[in-house]
Amino acid sequence: MVSLRALTVLALAAGLAVPAGAEPPKRVVSMNLCTDQLAMALAAPGQLISVSYIARDPRASAMVEEALRYPVNRGRAEEVYLLHPDLVLAGSFGGPAVAMLHRLGVPVVEVAPPTSLDEARKAIAQVGAALGRSEEAAAMIAAFDRELAELSRPVGPDVPTAATWGPNGYSVAGDTLAGDIMRRAGFSLVTDRLGMDTSGYVPLEVLVMAQPDLIVTGTPYPGNSRAEEVLDHPALDRLDGRVLRVPDALWTCALPRSLEALAMLSAEAEALR
């Protein structure tokens, strides 16, 4: 006969709701930036005991102040195991550390990184179910949907064009979270017009010839990186298009805070119209 505890472990590992009669996990460790932020937003007081150290990095995390309240981990199986968690939240690319935790019998929920705002709903629901906080997750999704509907713009034949411009000329395509957000804001993507099915590097000359209405860049890292020199190339100053800096932390993960990026871009689309 399978015990209730065993069923709970199996349900959590599959990202399903905690079985009826089982207690929600009491010691939850997150070892992934995206699950960090969902867990901090959804967990009950005292339920979350550690987040990844990246959650405190303002260049990547949109919830730095919240992360300062928690001890951090560096995603090593040994340190996570010694925290005695009854649930670990990880990304779907956790590698050897996650594999080791599985072998040690630690319940691990692996959350795939959403590549669109639609997929963000699934991640919120999955983490909420694993925490035994499905009602809170449902409320978060409802608020998310309301704001998303208010900020989304219709896409027509004469919409403005946009391109992200990152180190070494990296530009995202429509199969990414950033691409999805730009489309919902009312932009068509330069990468689509270039026939790029996936993100990749766009030469500066090609970007200049494309003449996007909006160039979206991120927050430059401190130091002197040659990869980032292209972000300040004088050719960009001669383009007619506007330049907008969207903090990377707003769309590194698909979160309710990602709607702040959508709001910024929607305002730009309205201005361009």
Side-chain angles (χ1 to χ4, degrees):
M1 182 176 179
V2 180
S3 68
L4 184 58
R5 173 60 181 167
L7 288 173
T8 302
V9 170
L10 291 172
L12 290 173
L16 303 176
V18 176
E23 292 187 359
K26 296 180 179 179
R27 295 182 59 82
V28 179
V29 173
S30 173
M31 51 191 295
N32 171 269
L33 173 64
C34 297
T35 58
D36 290 338
Q37 296 177 89
L38 289 176
M40 287 188 287
L42 289 169
Q47 187 179 30
L48 182 63
I49 62 171
S50 180
V51 296
S52 79
Y53 73 100
I54 305 175
R56 293 185 178 182
D57 185 346
R59 296 168 297 187
S61 173
M63 298 180 67
V64 172
E65 291 186 9
E66 293 87 343
L68 293 174
R69 305 170 190 164
Y70 300 92
V72 297
N73 66 79
R74 291 189 170 268
R76 294 187 288 262
E78 299 87 348
E79 65 172 331
V80 171
Y81 181 77
L82 290 174
L83 292 171
H84 305 293
D86 52 7
L87 174 66
V88 172
L89 298 173
S92 56
F93 303 103
V98 169
M100 175 63 76
L101 291 169
H102 279 301
R103 289 197 295 272
L104 291 170
V106 178
V108 180
V109 170
E110 298 179 52
V111 181
T115 58
S116 69
L117 291 174
D118 283 335
E119 291 181 6
R121 297 184 184 89
K122 298 178 183 178
I124 294 169
Q126 183 181 5
V127 172
L131 295 172
R133 306 275 288 175
S134 290
E135 290 186 7
E136 290 76 8
M140 180 183 290
I141 292 170
F144 179 87
D145 285 343
R146 287 194 297 270
E147 189 171 356
L148 178 60
E150 292 174 2
L151 293 173
S152 296
R153 298 289 179 264
V155 176
D158 298 321
V159 297
T161 58
T164 60
W165 187 241
N168 287 327
Y170 192 79
S171 190
V172 302
D175 61 346
T176 64
L177 176 61
D180 181 56
I181 290 175
M182 288 193 293
R183 284 175 172 169
R184 287 178 182 271
F187 287 97
S188 65
L189 305 184
V190 167
T191 47
D192 287 343
R193 298 192 176 189
L194 295 176
M196 296 172 60
D197 295 327
T198 59
S199 305
Y201 297 99
V202 175
L204 178 62
E205 297 84 353
V206 174
L207 181 73
V208 170
M209 292 176 64
Q211 286 289 331
D213 297 302
L214 183 71
I215 298 173
V216 183
T217 65
T219 305
Y221 276 58
N224 297 306
S225 168
R226 293 190 64 184
E228 291 187 320
E229 288 180 355
V230 70
L231 303 181
D232 297 316
H233 197 284
L236 299 179
D237 296 330
R238 300 180 183 179
L239 295 178
D240 295 331
R242 301 157 68 99
V243 177
L244 175 69
R245 289 196 183 275
V246 176
D248 296 330
L250 292 181
W251 53 14
T252 298
C253 300
L255 307 163
R257 291 288 301 273
S258 299
L259 296 178
E260 294 179 27
L262 178 58
M264 295 172 65
L265 288 157
S266 293
E268 289 292 328
E270 287 296 323
L272 287 166
R273 288 192 177 94

